[in-house]
Amino acid sequence: MRTADDTAPPTVDDAPVILGDEPGSFARGVLTDRHPALIQQVRDAFPCTPAQHRALDALLRSVTDGVMEPLAPDAHDRAQWEIWGRDDAGGSWFGRSWFDVPFLWAESYFYRVLLDAMGYFGDGPWRGVDPFAPFKDAELRGPAVDDELAALDALAGRPADERALALAHASLWGNRADLGFRIASGAVAADSGTDPRLVADDGPLLWSLLPVGAAGTVHLIADNAGRELIPDLVLLDHLLHTERASRAVLHVKPYPYYVSDATMTDVIEGLRRLRAASGYAAGTGERLRAAMADGRLAVRAHSFFSAPLPYSAMPGDLRRELAGATVTILKGDLNYRRLVGDRHWAPTSSFAGRTAYFPGPVAALRTLKSDVIVGLDARTLDGLEASGKPWRTSGTHALVQARR
């Protein structure tokens, strides 16, 4: 297993960084459409004060026809963002258009400024109020979650390997409402490696890293809260309960980030939702609670998980912790972009090569929602491109990629 210091970050080659300046691109659509819409949704969801309205108006003007401005002088993390905002030539991203800086950086900074606009880090009554909580709560308490939790009871009589496959694919697909926990009649068998929606499937390699009876530690870096976090929690319970891992570490964001990324509060709410159910779901909630109490399940919230940087730039303490993992599983689209680098890679470039810097075995479970992709074979790529459909960004395809 790699140590924390014996590998260098991957070479960038000539793959250009993704910007938001290309008309019609996914990145530009996020900056021009999604971010302004989100500002309005947050405004509508809360009884905003005059100061909050002014700050949201200023952010809207900035993202639509302005430039990126530094955080206020008294912001607790201004110095850190100034460091993160330096370009390769020693200049700064600040003072430039949102469309002319790396998309990952612009997207991350938008959410940091939105938190400021709502007073999340201030000393007043809005301190610590998650601006995305209404959206998370509505999803978590919706009837679709009731149906998915009830469907878990069908797993009780299934063989352990079949349950593992079903739960892994539930975690993979997240909140795809038409898939649920994929344990309806025939669904598990359909996921045995022939699902055309899987553009890459290293599932067998992933499971080989977690054999039954192993005494290892699995790390899972979460993505979204609500309906996507619930199957992540259920999967971790299964790994512990079936002794594929003796310990699990769940990594979440230290504060609200992007629209629905999971925080510790979301973990707590997810556990409450499980325990309030019945049958298999309730048992899962109780086992996870017991695992947290005896230390078999730990939750971490490292500040790096809210940084606008690729994982190749992770700090030493996080690198050392992940170096001790039997395998680290990264969930979701944003984590994938940070894992391989948010660049226009050739889709057939090697996943193992792009992740060679990572300090130990790593796996990605991702529903495709953005342009970045590596590790495809040429035949698969040709078929996807020939379809004429936006397979990279539509959420209709997914992948399981892993390396030892």
Side-chain angles (χ1 to χ4, degrees):
M1 182 178 296
R2 294 171 175 83
T3 67
D5 301 309
D6 65 0
T7 58
T11 58
V12 171
D13 299 326
D14 58 354
V17 173
I18 293 177
L19 307 178
D21 61 347
E22 181 182 345
S25 68
F26 174 79
R28 189 168 183 90
V30 169
L31 297 175
T32 60
D33 301 330
R34 186 179 299 180
H35 286 176
L38 181 58
I39 292 172
Q40 187 60 50
Q41 289 167 1
V42 170
R43 196 193 303 265
D44 292 342
F46 290 93
C48 294
T49 66
Q52 287 171 323
H53 279 298
R54 288 192 296 271
L56 291 172
D57 288 341
L59 177 57
L60 180 60
R61 288 192 300 271
S62 174
V63 299
T64 53
D65 56 14
V67 299
M68 305 180 76
E69 300 288 352
L71 297 174
D74 60 348
H76 72 281
D77 54 350
R78 176 183 168 117
Q80 180 63 78
W81 277 95
E82 287 182 342
I83 293 171
W84 287 340
R86 294 173 185 163
D87 63 22
D88 292 339
S92 175
W93 300 130
F94 295 114
R96 305 188 194 184
S97 166
W98 293 78
F99 303 100
D100 295 335
V101 305
F103 175 49
L104 176 64
W105 204 97
E107 199 175 12
S108 298
Y109 191 63
F110 168 82
Y111 286 99
R112 174 60 186 84
V113 179
L114 180 59
L115 290 179
D116 252 1
M118 293 300 292
Y120 183 88
F121 295 110
D123 293 329
W126 290 86
R127 182 179 181 86
V129 175
D130 185 345
F132 314 124
F135 318 131
K136 295 176 180 178
D137 291 344
E139 179 182 278
L140 186 61
R141 306 191 189 288
V145 175
D146 291 328
D147 294 341
E148 289 168 345
L149 294 181
L152 282 171
D153 290 340
L155 284 178
R158 300 287 182 89
D161 287 349
E162 199 170 292
R163 277 183 286 150
L165 183 62
L167 294 176
H169 279 258
S171 180
L172 166 65
W173 287 103
N175 64 0
R176 284 292 307 280
D178 61 322
L179 295 169
F181 278 98
R182 303 184 63 77
I183 55 175
S185 177
V188 173
D191 276 343
S192 61
T194 60
D195 190 337
R197 290 165 293 193
L198 280 181
V199 301
D201 186 6
D202 291 338
L205 174 56
L206 171 59
W207 290 117
S208 75
L209 296 171
L210 294 167
V212 175
T217 299
V218 61
H219 288 242
L220 191 150
I221 302 177
D223 186 34
N224 291 330
R227 287 180 68 192
E228 295 197 35
L229 183 61
I230 290 277
D232 294 344
L233 292 169
V234 176
L235 177 61
L236 288 180
D237 167 68
H238 180 79
L239 296 178
L240 292 170
H241 188 57
T242 59
E243 298 184 337
R244 286 183 178 270
S246 58
R247 186 169 178 268
V249 181
L250 175 64
H251 297 271
V252 297
K253 302 298 189 297
Y255 54 77
Y257 188 66
Y258 284 52
V259 180
S260 57
D261 281 21
T263 66
M264 185 63 204
T265 297
D266 300 313
V267 174
I268 294 169
E269 291 302 316
L271 289 173
R272 286 174 176 165
R273 189 72 162 90
L274 285 166
R275 295 179 70 220
S278 59
Y280 192 108
T284 296
E286 293 297 339
R287 287 191 299 270
L288 287 170
R289 185 181 176 93
M292 292 185 72
D294 64 24
R296 287 179 296 121
L297 173 61
V299 182
R300 302 275 191 268
H302 197 286
S303 60
F304 183 75
F305 291 118
S306 292
L309 303 173
Y311 281 111
S312 58
M314 75 177 80
D317 60 338
L318 181 59
R319 175 175 287 274
R320 287 187 291 273
E321 181 171 16
L322 297 181
T326 303
V327 62
T328 299
I329 301 172
L330 288 88
K331 278 295 310 297
D333 202 76
L334 175 60
N335 279 323
Y336 188 86
R337 290 164 57 194
R338 296 183 70 188
L339 176 65
V340 303
D342 204 35
R343 293 174 175 269
H344 292 288
W345 301 113
T348 54
S349 60
S350 167
F351 175 79
R354 295 275 67 83
T355 61
Y357 70 90
F358 203 87
V362 63
L365 302 183
R366 175 205 183 197
T367 301
L368 277 60
K369 299 176 183 176
S370 68
D371 290 318
V372 178
I373 187 78
V374 299
L376 299 188
D377 65 63
R379 185 174 181 178
T380 297
L381 177 62
D382 289 345
L384 291 166
E385 296 288 78
S387 73
K389 297 178 180 179
W391 58 273
R392 295 181 187 232
T393 60
S394 62
T396 56
H397 292 76
L399 60 79
V400 180
Q401 291 177 324
R403 69 142 179 85
R404 292 187 181 276

